[in-house]
Amino acid sequence: CESIKDLSGNSMCDSTVVISSQNENIQDEDMSFGEINGTINYTGNKQIIVEAVNLDNDLVYKLFLDNDKFLFDKLTPGNYNIWAFEHLNKVTMNYFSGRLEPLEFAAKYVEYNKSVAVRANWKNTINMEIK
């Protein structure tokens, strides 16, 4: 530090402080995710669960349908199968396949007819119907 005198005759250290505006450890998390959104037509009275399964790494994302609409907005890039089903399982959010004793029918479901490619910053919109 080089010593200089101010107007009052006091010694001060003359130095330059460099503040970097770039921080390599901070990244915009939204930049590495993609999105699948859409609607599901359903006339029943059960809650609907929508499930996105990443075919590349088997990660599973689940959510409840909200007013016939769904949004997966933080999906890692990859190829996904999308399906939806009535929430009849009283224990978990898994599909209920029915039983014989006592007789209970399986949950109605729909599967999107092809896999959906998700890329960073992409938005995909799909529509399905549970009959």
Side-chain angles (χ1 to χ4, degrees):
C1 138
E2 180 181 332
S3 181
I4 61 169
K5 303 277 186 187
D6 69 4
L7 295 176
S8 303
N10 298 321
S11 291
M12 296 181 5
C13 185
D14 183 25
S15 63
T16 304
V17 176
V18 177
I19 300 173
S20 174
S21 63
Q22 298 177 0
N23 186 339
E24 295 175 11
N25 296 326
I26 298 175
Q27 297 176 359
D28 185 1
E29 293 180 15
D30 292 336
M31 298 303 287
S32 61
F33 294 106
E35 175 181 306
I36 299 175
N37 65 67
T39 58
I40 297 177
N41 296 325
Y42 172 68
T43 57
N45 60 358
K46 308 289 187 211
Q47 281 188 306
I48 299 298
I49 295 174
V50 185
E51 189 172 285
V53 181
N54 187 317
L55 300 175
D56 303 325
N57 59 20
D58 293 327
L59 286 175
V60 177
Y61 303 86
K62 295 182 183 187
L63 53 78
F64 285 103
L65 192 66
D66 184 21
N67 293 322
D68 297 334
K69 299 186 185 317
F70 67 92
L71 170 64
F72 293 103
D73 60 348
K74 297 274 187 181
L75 295 176
T76 56
N79 295 300
Y80 286 81
N81 275 347
I82 308 295
W83 73 303
F85 53 90
E86 293 176 317
H87 180 46
L88 299 181
N89 191 327
K90 297 174 177 85
V91 179
T92 69
M93 288 180 68
N94 294 330
Y95 177 75
F96 179 71
S97 58
R99 66 176 154 196
L100 290 174
E101 297 283 333
L103 180 62
E104 289 187 62
F105 293 107
K108 293 180 182 179
Y109 72 95
V110 64
E111 186 173 348
Y112 193 64
N113 60 357
K114 59 183 177 180
S115 66
V116 179
V118 172
R119 303 290 179 256
N121 302 315
W122 280 21
K123 291 183 179 183
N124 296 284
T125 302
I126 63 173
N127 298 301
M128 299 184 288
E129 181 176 2
I130 296 177
K131 296 180 181 181

